[in-house]
């Protein structure tokens, strides 16, 4: 009779499992007690990016205050997976000796919230983050911290935005928009006050400047505004602005019609650097169907419908897609008022990208343009040119971007979109476009190179359904076969 063998494999498996548990449990407790986290996500959602760390090390001598306006304590986010990236960002920042993190409910402590926005310009809502260093404060709106892509993927943008805010605040001043003075312009403390307030709400400082007096364009300049001038800029101003543009500067020109003798020769030359120009005319609409209401709620030939030139694949810049979408939703009206027309030079330059963004519209019945161009200002030659533009395709807004120098320019033929004495809801679309163009000219959110962080998922792509089913069968059948073989071997050898 064959002697029966005693199989110790089961006992060894039990002993091995017990040993693993005895080792794993203490290790887990130790790491839990130490609150040590290993971020295994490909995007590093739960750790600070190395660029953020470099920035924090470089600004370690600055006292930075971060305020998170939320109803609950930050610790509550530890049990909320969707908020974990923000929790870890703020938690890591708070560990820095020079950074103070404060969380409070703005609804329960309105005075404390108002201290962050004493002018009421930035606006305060629950979930906002404010970064403060010295007298400089920058807001990170709650709606921007977590973003949704066109594909429906949620991304975490908080670290990029907070790091950008820290860099701006520790620099000592906000990016400043300077309005040129000395040429008969209206003041940002009067007619343009509301527009200036909108700029401030987007984290710009806004000041006036007379370049002939200062003799230079300040280093903190984000955008130079030339608005509603009634006389030409000087030779000195032209040289300063030309040099500024040649070194990547951004300029916004709002050249409303004005009755002057002669051309704005220096302004013309400045615009020509960007291959753009202004017509010396005043444009009205003769077709009552295309006319809009003025501030007296009366139909006017000075207020009329326009269209915003759709972006194309031929251009890298896109300023009109957002406003066209909002207009399609009925949120804004595509209109303009009290405007001259502007144009582009047809000179070919591989470095300059330019495109119209506002133009007149055709009559739906006749397929003809019904705008009238009346000469205003300029000289005899420009007057003849203006008369020839009646019934032609006209443009009232342009952008131009020099890819070599990185200089940017926005050109509008009106100032009504920012003039509190002229603006009206029927031109709200162009007003939105003017405000939006500032972000294109100079984004107050400094690109830190961190980017948005999202979960990463492994995917498989198949040529067709047959290929997918074949792979599926492989992944199902093979494990089943292996399992059956394993069971068969075990049954055969269990009494061996």
């Amino acid at each position: 009779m064959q002697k029966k063998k005693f199989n110790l494999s089961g006992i060894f498996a039990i002993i091995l499992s017990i040993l693993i548990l005895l080792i794993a449990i203490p290790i887990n407790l130790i790491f839990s007690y130490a609150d040590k986290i290993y971020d295994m996500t490909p995007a590093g959602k739960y750790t600070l990016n190395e660029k953020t760390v470099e920035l924090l090390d470089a600004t370690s001598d600055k006292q930075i205050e971060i305020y998170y306006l939320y109803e609950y304590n930050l610790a509550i986010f530890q049990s909320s997976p969707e908020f974990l990236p923000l929790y870890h960002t703020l938690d890591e920042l708070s560990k820095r000796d020079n950074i103070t993190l404060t969380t409070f409910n703005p609804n329960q402590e309105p005075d404390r919230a108002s201290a962050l926005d004493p002018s009421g310009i930035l606006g305060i809502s629950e979930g906002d983050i404010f970064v403060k260093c010295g007298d400089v404060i920058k807001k990170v709106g709650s709606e921007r911290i977590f973003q949704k892509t066109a594909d429906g993927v949620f991304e975490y943008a908080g670290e990029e935005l907070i790091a950008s805010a820290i860099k701006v605040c520790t620099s000592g001043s906000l990016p400043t928009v300077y309005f040129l003075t000395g040429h008969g312009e209206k003041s940002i403390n009067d007619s343009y006050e509301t527009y200036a307030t909108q700029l401030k709400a987007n984290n710009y400082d806004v000041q006036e400047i007379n370049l002939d007096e200062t003799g230079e364009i300040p280093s903190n300049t984000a955008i130079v505004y030339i608005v509603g001038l009634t006389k030409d800029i000087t030779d000195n101003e032209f040289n300063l602005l030309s040099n500024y543009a040649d070194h990547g500067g951004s300029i916004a020109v709002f050249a409303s019609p004005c009755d002057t003798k002669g051309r704005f020769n220096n302004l013309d030359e400045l615009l020509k650097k960007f291959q753009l120009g202004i017509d010396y005319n005043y444009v009205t609409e003769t077709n009552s169907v295309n006319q809009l209401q003025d501030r007296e709620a009366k139909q006017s030939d000075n207020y009329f419908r326009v269209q915003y030139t759709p972006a194309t694949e031929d251009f890298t810049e896109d300023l009109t897609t957002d406003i066209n979408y909002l207009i399609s939703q009925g949120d804004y009206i595509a209109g303009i008022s009290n405007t001259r027309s502007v144009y582009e030079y047809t000179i070919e330059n591989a470095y300059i990208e330019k495109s119209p963004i506002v133009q007149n519209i055709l009559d739906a019945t006749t397929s003809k343009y019904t705008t009238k161009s009346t000469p205003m200002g300029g000289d005899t030659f420009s007057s003849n040119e203006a008369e020839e533009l009646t019934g032609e395709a006209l443009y009232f807004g342009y952008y131009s971007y020099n890819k070599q120098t990185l200089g940017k320019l926005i050109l509008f033929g009106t100032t009504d979109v920012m003039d509190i004495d002229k603006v009206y809801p029927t031109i709200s679309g162009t007003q939105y476009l003017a405000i939006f163009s500032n972000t294109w000219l100079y984004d107050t959110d400094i690109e830190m190179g961190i980017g948005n962080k999202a979960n990463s998922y492994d995917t498989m792509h198949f040529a067709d359904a047959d290929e997918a089913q074949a792979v599926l069968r492989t992944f199902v059948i093979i494990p089943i076969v292996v399992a059956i073989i394993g069971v068969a071997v075990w049954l055969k050898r269990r009494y061996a």
Side-chain angles (χ1 to χ4, degrees):
M1 180 178 176
Q2 187 176 357
K3 191 174 181 180
K4 189 176 181 179
K5 294 181 180 179
F6 186 65
N7 192 348
L8 296 176
S9 59
I11 296 175
F12 285 139
I14 294 173
I15 293 173
L16 183 61
S17 299
I18 293 173
L19 289 174
I20 291 174
L21 287 173
L22 290 174
I23 295 172
I25 291 174
I27 291 176
N28 188 55
L29 290 173
I30 291 170
F31 278 97
S32 296
Y33 179 77
D35 196 24
K36 186 67 176 177
I37 297 170
Y38 288 94
D39 188 354
M40 305 300 292
T41 61
K45 290 175 65 177
Y46 308 123
T47 50
L48 294 181
N49 185 279
E50 60 181 12
K51 294 181 179 179
T52 303
V53 175
E54 291 175 3
L55 171 66
L56 296 176
D57 291 341
T59 57
S60 60
D61 59 332
K62 309 283 187 180
Q63 290 302 312
I64 302 168
E65 302 170 45
I66 299 178
Y67 297 88
Y68 183 48
L69 281 54
Y70 198 68
E71 181 178 359
Y72 302 105
N73 187 279
L74 194 63
I76 197 173
F77 289 160
Q78 288 181 294
S79 58
S80 302
E82 67 273 19
F83 287 106
L84 272 178
L86 177 60
Y87 165 78
H88 286 294
T89 296
L90 294 177
D91 184 56
E92 287 298 313
L93 291 173
S94 68
K95 294 176 182 177
R96 293 273 172 162
D97 293 336
N98 65 312
I99 296 179
T100 303
L101 174 66
T102 303
T103 302
F104 70 92
N105 187 339
N107 300 317
Q108 295 178 355
E109 301 182 64
D111 292 340
R112 196 175 192 180
S114 296
L116 295 173
D117 184 24
S119 63
I121 290 173
L122 298 177
I124 291 176
S125 61
E126 188 173 352
D128 290 342
I129 293 174
F130 284 80
V131 177
K132 184 176 186 293
C133 183
D135 295 328
V136 184
I137 298 176
K138 194 174 190 303
K139 171 187 170 182
V140 177
S142 58
E143 74 284 353
R144 304 177 63 206
I145 296 173
F146 292 94
Q147 301 175 7
K148 190 175 182 180
T149 68
D151 298 327
V153 178
F154 282 96
E155 297 182 336
Y156 171 60
E159 184 181 343
E160 170 79 28
L161 296 171
I162 294 171
S164 172
I166 290 174
K167 188 172 182 64
V168 170
C169 292
T170 54
S171 70
S173 64
L174 290 173
T176 303
V177 175
Y178 284 100
F179 277 68
L180 215 60
T181 63
H183 318 89
E185 304 93 342
K186 294 183 178 180
S187 172
I188 61 171
N189 299 316
D190 187 12
S191 298
Y192 302 150
E193 183 179 13
T194 300
Y195 188 84
T197 298
Q198 290 176 298
L199 289 172
K200 292 176 183 177
N202 289 322
N203 289 306
Y204 298 95
D205 191 12
V206 183
Q207 304 288 337
E208 292 182 338
I209 189 170
N210 187 316
L211 290 180
D212 275 337
E213 294 179 358
T214 62
E216 63 177 2
I217 295 176
S219 59
N220 66 340
T221 302
I223 310 169
V224 174
Y225 260 70
I226 304 174
V227 183
L229 71 176
T230 58
K231 62 180 181 180
D232 198 10
I233 58 176
T234 64
D235 293 344
N236 178 53
E237 289 174 315
F238 167 75
N239 291 330
L240 290 172
L241 290 166
S242 179
N243 182 65
Y244 172 68
D246 288 341
H247 289 82
S250 295
I251 301 173
V253 179
F254 290 74
S256 55
C258 55
D259 193 9
T260 58
K261 294 181 179 179
R263 292 172 174 262
F264 295 146
N265 292 316
N266 284 330
L267 178 64
D268 286 342
E269 286 301 311
L270 180 64
L271 295 175
K272 195 172 183 179
K273 290 177 66 72
F274 290 89
Q275 295 190 353
L276 298 179
I278 58 174
D279 293 311
Y280 290 82
N281 63 348
Y282 187 93
V283 180
T284 53
E285 176 60 74
T286 63
N287 187 348
S288 61
V289 175
N290 292 335
Q291 293 174 356
L292 296 169
Q293 290 185 344
D294 60 14
R295 290 172 62 89
E296 303 298 324
K298 297 178 180 179
Q299 187 169 289
S300 172
D301 60 355
N302 298 328
Y303 287 70
F304 54 90
R305 299 184 187 279
V306 292
Q307 57 183 322
Y308 304 112
T309 313
T312 69
E313 295 181 354
D314 297 330
F315 299 103
T316 62
E317 311 303 302
D318 179 7
L319 277 71
T320 58
T321 294
D322 287 345
I323 184 58
N324 280 329
Y325 171 76
L326 293 171
I327 287 173
S328 70
Q329 300 298 304
D331 296 333
Y332 292 88
I333 300 173
I336 203 167
S337 61
N338 299 308
T339 185
R340 73 167 80 220
S341 56
V342 299
Y343 63 91
E344 67 173 86
Y345 287 95
T346 56
I347 306 170
E348 289 296 328
N349 186 323
Y351 295 115
I352 293 181
E353 177 182 316
K354 55 188 183 297
S355 173
I357 52 178
V358 187
Q359 61 186 94
N360 57 355
I361 60 178
L362 289 166
D363 177 79
T365 304
T366 63
S367 296
K368 294 182 179 180
Y369 293 103
T370 53
T371 45
K372 179 182 178 181
S373 173
T374 302
M376 178 174 283
D379 53 24
T380 303
F381 183 74
S382 67
S383 178
N384 294 332
E385 285 183 324
E387 290 179 346
E388 295 175 357
L389 294 175
T390 294
E392 297 294 323
L394 298 179
Y395 303 101
F396 313 110
Y398 256 92
Y399 81 77
S400 181
Y401 173 41
N402 189 318
K403 298 177 183 178
Q404 184 178 39
T405 66
L406 302 183
K408 294 181 177 181
L409 186 137
I410 282 286
L411 174 61
F412 285 93
T414 180
T415 59
D416 281 14
V417 291
M418 68 174 65
D419 192 335
I420 195 173
D421 301 319
K422 300 288 185 63
V423 69
Y424 194 67
T426 51
I427 62 172
S428 58
T430 306
Q431 183 184 34
Y432 172 92
L433 186 58
I435 286 290
F436 176 76
S437 68
N438 292 293
T439 303
W440 176 75
L441 286 167
Y442 187 97
D443 193 345
T444 58
D445 293 326
I446 298 173
E447 288 287 342
M448 300 300 299
I450 299 168
N452 293 358
K453 298 181 177 182
N455 288 331
S456 179
Y457 302 96
D458 293 327
T459 59
M460 298 179 68
H461 299 276
F462 305 104
D464 50 39
D466 292 338
E467 182 181 352
Q469 290 177 0
V471 172
L472 183 61
R473 284 194 295 269
T474 301
F475 277 99
V476 173
I477 292 173
I478 290 178
I480 291 175
V481 171
V482 171
I484 292 174
I485 293 173
V487 171
V489 172
W490 177 76
L491 289 172
K492 183 178 181 181
R493 300 187 59 187
R494 61 175 177 165
Y495 297 118

Short mmCIF file of all heavy atoms in Angstrom, two decimals, residues 156-176:
data_model
loop_
_atom_site.label_atom_id
_atom_site.label_comp_id
_atom_site.label_asym_id
_atom_site.label_seq_id
_atom_site.Cartn_x
_atom_site.Cartn_y
_atom_site.Cartn_z
N TYR A 156 -8.53 70.21 -12.70
CA TYR A 156 -8.18 71.06 -11.56
C TYR A 156 -7.18 72.11 -12.02
O TYR A 156 -6.07 71.79 -12.44
CB TYR A 156 -7.59 70.21 -10.44
CG TYR A 156 -6.99 71.01 -9.31
CD1 TYR A 156 -7.78 71.89 -8.56
CD2 TYR A 156 -5.65 70.90 -8.99
CE1 TYR A 156 -7.23 72.63 -7.54
CE2 TYR A 156 -5.09 71.63 -7.95
CZ TYR A 156 -5.89 72.51 -7.24
OH TYR A 156 -5.34 73.24 -6.21
N ALA A 157 -7.60 73.38 -11.98
CA ALA A 157 -6.74 74.49 -12.42
C ALA A 157 -6.24 75.32 -11.24
O ALA A 157 -5.55 76.32 -11.44
CB ALA A 157 -7.49 75.39 -13.40
N GLY A 158 -6.59 74.92 -10.03
CA GLY A 158 -6.31 75.73 -8.85
C GLY A 158 -4.85 76.03 -8.62
O GLY A 158 -4.48 77.17 -8.33
N GLU A 159 -3.98 75.03 -8.75
CA GLU A 159 -2.57 75.27 -8.47
C GLU A 159 -1.97 76.27 -9.45
O GLU A 159 -1.22 77.17 -9.05
CB GLU A 159 -1.79 73.95 -8.52
CG GLU A 159 -0.33 74.14 -8.13
CD GLU A 159 0.48 72.86 -8.19
OE1 GLU A 159 -0.13 71.77 -8.22
OE2 GLU A 159 1.72 72.94 -8.20
N GLU A 160 -2.29 76.13 -10.73
CA GLU A 160 -1.80 77.07 -11.75
C GLU A 160 -2.23 78.49 -11.42
O GLU A 160 -1.43 79.44 -11.45
CB GLU A 160 -2.33 76.67 -13.12
CG GLU A 160 -2.11 77.69 -14.22
CD GLU A 160 -0.72 77.69 -14.80
OE1 GLU A 160 -0.05 76.64 -14.77
OE2 GLU A 160 -0.29 78.76 -15.27
N LEU A 161 -3.50 78.67 -11.08
CA LEU A 161 -4.05 80.01 -10.82
C LEU A 161 -3.50 80.61 -9.53
O LEU A 161 -3.20 81.80 -9.46
CB LEU A 161 -5.58 79.94 -10.77
CG LEU A 161 -6.26 79.54 -12.08
CD1 LEU A 161 -7.74 79.29 -11.86
CD2 LEU A 161 -6.06 80.60 -13.15
N ILE A 162 -3.39 79.80 -8.49
CA ILE A 162 -2.88 80.30 -7.21
C ILE A 162 -1.40 80.66 -7.34
O ILE A 162 -0.96 81.70 -6.83
CB ILE A 162 -3.10 79.25 -6.10
CG1 ILE A 162 -4.60 79.06 -5.85
CG2 ILE A 162 -2.41 79.69 -4.81
CD1 ILE A 162 -4.93 77.90 -4.93
N ALA A 163 -0.63 79.82 -8.03
CA ALA A 163 0.79 80.12 -8.23
C ALA A 163 0.95 81.41 -9.03
O ALA A 163 1.81 82.25 -8.73
CB ALA A 163 1.47 78.96 -8.95
N SER A 164 0.10 81.59 -10.04
CA SER A 164 0.13 82.82 -10.84
C SER A 164 -0.17 84.03 -9.97
O SER A 164 0.48 85.07 -10.07
CB SER A 164 -0.89 82.72 -11.98
OG SER A 164 -1.00 83.95 -12.66
N ALA A 165 -1.17 83.90 -9.10
CA ALA A 165 -1.54 85.01 -8.21
C ALA A 165 -0.40 85.34 -7.25
O ALA A 165 -0.13 86.52 -6.97
CB ALA A 165 -2.80 84.64 -7.43
N ILE A 166 0.28 84.32 -6.75
CA ILE A 166 1.41 84.55 -5.86
C ILE A 166 2.52 85.31 -6.59
O ILE A 166 3.12 86.25 -6.05
CB ILE A 166 1.94 83.21 -5.30
CG1 ILE A 166 0.93 82.61 -4.32
CG2 ILE A 166 3.30 83.39 -4.62
CD1 ILE A 166 1.29 81.21 -3.84
N LYS A 167 2.78 84.91 -7.83
CA LYS A 167 3.84 85.58 -8.60
C LYS A 167 3.49 87.04 -8.85
O LYS A 167 4.36 87.92 -8.74
CB LYS A 167 4.05 84.85 -9.92
CG LYS A 167 5.26 85.34 -10.71
CD LYS A 167 5.54 84.47 -11.90
CE LYS A 167 6.79 84.93 -12.66
NZ LYS A 167 8.01 84.80 -11.84
N VAL A 168 2.22 87.32 -9.19
CA VAL A 168 1.80 88.70 -9.43
C VAL A 168 1.90 89.53 -8.16
O VAL A 168 2.46 90.63 -8.16
CB VAL A 168 0.35 88.74 -9.98
CG1 VAL A 168 -0.18 90.17 -9.99
CG2 VAL A 168 0.30 88.17 -11.39
N CYS A 169 1.37 89.01 -7.07
CA CYS A 169 1.32 89.78 -5.82
C CYS A 169 2.71 90.04 -5.24
O CYS A 169 2.97 91.11 -4.71
CB CYS A 169 0.45 89.06 -4.79
SG CYS A 169 -1.30 89.02 -5.22
N THR A 170 3.60 89.07 -5.36
CA THR A 170 4.95 89.25 -4.82
C THR A 170 5.81 90.15 -5.71
O THR A 170 6.89 90.58 -5.29
CB THR A 170 5.65 87.90 -4.63
OG1 THR A 170 5.63 87.16 -5.87
CG2 THR A 170 4.96 87.07 -3.55
N SER A 171 5.33 90.44 -6.93
CA SER A 171 6.08 91.34 -7.81
C SER A 171 5.97 92.79 -7.34
O SER A 171 6.76 93.64 -7.75
CB SER A 171 5.57 91.23 -9.24
OG SER A 171 4.27 91.80 -9.36
N GLY A 172 4.97 93.10 -6.52
CA GLY A 172 4.85 94.44 -5.94
C GLY A 172 3.75 95.29 -6.53
O GLY A 172 3.39 96.32 -5.96
N SER A 173 3.21 94.90 -7.71
CA SER A 173 2.13 95.69 -8.30
C SER A 173 1.36 94.84 -9.30
O SER A 173 1.91 93.90 -9.88
CB SER A 173 2.67 96.93 -9.01
OG SER A 173 3.49 96.56 -10.10
N LEU A 174 0.10 95.18 -9.48
CA LEU A 174 -0.70 94.50 -10.50
C LEU A 174 -0.30 95.00 -11.89
O LEU A 174 0.18 96.13 -12.02
CB LEU A 174 -2.19 94.78 -10.27
CG LEU A 174 -2.85 94.15 -9.05
CD1 LEU A 174 -4.27 94.68 -8.91
CD2 LEU A 174 -2.85 92.64 -9.15
N PRO A 175 -0.49 94.18 -12.92
CA PRO A 175 -0.29 94.69 -14.28
C PRO A 175 -1.17 95.91 -14.51
O PRO A 175 -2.35 95.91 -14.16
CB PRO A 175 -0.73 93.51 -15.16
CG PRO A 175 -0.62 92.31 -14.28
CD PRO A 175 -0.94 92.79 -12.90
N THR A 176 -0.61 96.96 -15.07
CA THR A 176 -1.31 98.23 -15.16
C THR A 176 -1.69 98.58 -16.59
O THR A 176 -0.88 98.46 -17.51
CB THR A 176 -0.45 99.37 -14.58
OG1 THR A 176 -0.11 99.05 -13.22
CG2 THR A 176 -1.20 100.68 -14.59
#
